[in-house]
Amino acid sequence: MAIVFRLATIQDIPSFQQLIPQSVRALSAGYYTAQQIEYALVHIFGVDSQLIADRTYYAAVSDDQIVGCGGWSKRKTLFGGDQVKTSLDDLLILP
């Protein structure tokens, strides 16, 4: 089973919306309570479509199925996806 990494697209968002909660619940079990995990899914973890638009988000694909995702940001927002953004997400200004 080979895994191929490619730039994420807007069309991948439904797959990410299924994958991210599964991943967070599985990887957080034993470290956080169920309540903390669910809170994190509402306020911290989620799809950030700005990263997809910035071309800094990737999909890991195996046998035409997305099995992972992640990326990096050049935006001021420290964490959270589309569900927590209320305004324009400005670019970082580095010294």
Side-chain angles (χ1 to χ4, degrees), residues 12-80:
D12 295 327
I13 289 177
S15 295
F16 296 154
Q17 289 171 328
Q18 291 180 9
L19 181 63
I20 290 170
Q22 292 174 355
S23 175
V24 170
R25 288 183 182 112
L27 296 172
S28 299
Y31 296 99
Y32 300 101
T33 67
Q35 183 179 9
Q36 289 171 320
I37 293 168
E38 295 308 311
Y39 182 87
L41 285 169
V42 171
H43 298 284
I44 299 171
F45 297 107
V47 176
D48 188 334
S49 59
Q50 182 64 62
L51 301 186
I52 296 171
D54 287 344
R55 301 177 55 85
T56 60
Y57 204 74
Y58 296 85
V61 182
S62 178
D63 295 328
D64 295 323
Q65 181 176 352
I66 294 176
V67 296
C69 57
W72 59 274
S73 178
K74 56 185 175 181
R75 302 287 171 169
K76 288 183 180 179
T77 301
L78 296 177
F79 59 85

